[in-house]
mmCIF file of all heavy atoms in Angstrom:
data_model
loop_
_atom_site.group_PDB
_atom_site.id
_atom_site.type_symbol
_atom_site.label_atom_id
_atom_site.label_comp_id
_atom_site.label_asym_id
_atom_site.label_seq_id
_atom_site.Cartn_x
_atom_site.Cartn_y
_atom_site.Cartn_z
ATOM 1 N N GLY A 411 37.233 -6.693 9.030
ATOM 2 C CA GLY A 411 38.649 -6.907 8.775
ATOM 3 C C GLY A 411 39.588 -5.977 9.511
ATOM 4 O O GLY A 411 40.809 -6.119 9.406
ATOM 5 N N MET A 458 68.439 5.226 -6.719
ATOM 6 C CA MET A 458 69.716 5.212 -7.431
ATOM 7 C C MET A 458 70.815 5.694 -6.489
ATOM 8 O O MET A 458 70.626 6.668 -5.756
ATOM 9 C CB MET A 458 69.666 6.104 -8.669
ATOM 10 C CG MET A 458 70.956 6.102 -9.488
ATOM 11 S SD MET A 458 70.817 7.067 -11.007
ATOM 12 C CE MET A 458 70.625 8.725 -10.333
ATOM 13 N N GLU A 464 86.373 6.197 -4.603
ATOM 14 C CA GLU A 464 86.639 7.633 -4.601
ATOM 15 C C GLU A 464 87.383 8.082 -5.846
ATOM 16 O O GLU A 464 87.254 9.226 -6.282
ATOM 17 C CB GLU A 464 87.432 8.015 -3.346
ATOM 18 C CG GLU A 464 86.644 7.818 -2.049
ATOM 19 C CD GLU A 464 87.461 8.250 -0.847
ATOM 20 O OE1 GLU A 464 88.626 8.663 -1.038
ATOM 21 O OE2 GLU A 464 86.929 8.169 0.280
ATOM 22 N N THR A 480 67.894 0.311 -1.722
ATOM 23 C CA THR A 480 66.536 0.140 -1.208
ATOM 24 C C THR A 480 66.135 1.326 -0.359
ATOM 25 O O THR A 480 65.007 1.828 -0.443
ATOM 26 C CB THR A 480 66.435 -1.157 -0.383
ATOM 27 O OG1 THR A 480 66.817 -2.271 -1.192
ATOM 28 C CG2 THR A 480 65.008 -1.368 0.115
ATOM 29 N N VAL A 526 57.965 -2.134 -6.957
ATOM 30 C CA VAL A 526 56.604 -1.758 -6.590
ATOM 31 C C VAL A 526 56.538 -1.634 -5.072
ATOM 32 O O VAL A 526 57.030 -2.500 -4.344
ATOM 33 C CB VAL A 526 55.586 -2.808 -7.084
ATOM 34 C CG1 VAL A 526 54.170 -2.392 -6.707
ATOM 35 C CG2 VAL A 526 55.704 -3.004 -8.590
ATOM 36 N N ARG A 681 34.946 -2.063 -15.003
ATOM 37 C CA ARG A 681 35.447 -0.708 -15.220
ATOM 38 C C ARG A 681 36.933 -0.694 -15.561
ATOM 39 O O ARG A 681 37.410 0.178 -16.289
ATOM 40 C CB ARG A 681 35.188 0.132 -13.961
ATOM 41 C CG ARG A 681 35.638 1.571 -14.038
ATOM 42 C CD ARG A 681 35.232 2.313 -12.770
ATOM 43 N NE ARG A 681 35.732 1.649 -11.584
ATOM 44 C CZ ARG A 681 36.972 1.783 -11.137
ATOM 45 N NH1 ARG A 681 37.849 2.513 -11.792
ATOM 46 N NH2 ARG A 681 37.343 1.168 -10.029
ATOM 47 N N ASP A 747 65.220 -10.509 -1.715
ATOM 48 C CA ASP A 747 63.959 -10.166 -1.049
ATOM 49 C C ASP A 747 64.160 -9.957 0.447
ATOM 50 O O ASP A 747 63.581 -9.044 1.043
ATOM 51 C CB ASP A 747 62.929 -11.278 -1.276
ATOM 52 C CG ASP A 747 62.534 -11.424 -2.738
ATOM 53 O OD1 ASP A 747 62.547 -10.413 -3.452
ATOM 54 O OD2 ASP A 747 62.226 -12.558 -3.156
#
Side-chain angles (χ1 to χ4, degrees):
M458 182 176 66
E464 294 182 358
T480 302
V526 181
R681 181 176 55 81
D747 295 329

